[in-house]
Structure formats: C-alpha cells, structure tokens
Amino acid sequence: MDSTGGSTGAPIDFSKLSETDKREMEQFIMNETQKARIQSSIHSLTDLCFKKCITSRISAGALDRSEEACTQNCVDRYMDANFAILKKLESMRM
C-alpha cells in the first residue's frame, strides 16, 4: 500500500527507512510470521482432531459425549507433544 492507502505494486525500498523504522518493520514481520505459525498449528490441530474424533454427522450442532471426550483428549495430547518438542529444542540451544 502507498501512503494514501492504495496498493502501488512497487516493492518497498528498505534502504530509505530510518533505523527505527527498520527495527519496527523487522519486529512487525517477526510478529506476523509468528501469528502465521500459530494459525498453521491451530489448523493442523483442528484437522487432525476432527478427522480422528468426529465420526457422526453434526446435524444437531453439537458433539456427542464420546466425540467431545475424544476431541479434548486429542487437543491435550497435541499440546503435550508440542510442549515436549519445544522443551527439547530449547534444551538443545543451551
């Protein structure tokens, strides 16, 4: 987008930015990248647990008892696995 809010299609010349603006842009890009990773992880979790646990048609707009328990367990195990991986990666960095 240009300064008027429209899209020019031209690439941004980062060399013309001040050091403060460059740092802010780097932080913004890191934040957006992290958000994209989180969204991807949530998508994977949703897809995995839905395929594993939802066995009936959801015509009533609610999960049955077994599907609800399976989904909760699936989410818990997914989070446990991700936490264990992050913990291991963190220990390898030290």
Side-chain angles (χ1 to χ4, degrees):
M1 286 192 180
D2 64 17
S3 61
T4 62
S7 178
T8 63
I12 297 172
D13 185 359
F14 289 102
S15 66
K16 294 181 180 179
L17 294 175
S18 69
E19 288 304 312
T20 301
D21 288 342
K22 286 179 185 177
R23 282 192 302 274
E24 287 179 6
M25 183 61 74
E26 287 173 1
Q27 185 63 48
F28 174 78
I29 291 169
M30 286 181 3
N31 290 346
E32 290 300 308
T33 301
Q34 183 64 26
K35 284 195 309 190
R37 285 182 186 147
I38 291 169
Q39 288 173 333
S40 177
S41 182
I42 290 170
H43 176 74
S44 295
L45 167 68
T46 302
D47 190 49
L48 174 79
C49 293
F50 189 89
K51 287 177 180 176
K52 177 179 170 65
C53 298
I54 310 305
T55 57
S56 65
R57 293 184 48 184
I58 308 175
S59 57
L63 302 176
D64 68 28
R65 206 183 265 168
S66 65
E67 291 171 332
E68 190 172 337
C70 177
T71 303
Q72 183 63 52
N73 189 47
C74 181
V75 170
D76 289 345
R77 295 302 69 80
Y78 186 91
M79 297 302 287
D80 289 345
N82 277 302
F83 181 70
I85 291 167
L86 289 174
K87 198 172 175 182
K88 179 64 175 175
L89 291 173
E90 186 65 31
S91 72
M92 291 170 62
R93 284 181 39 186
M94 295 178 180

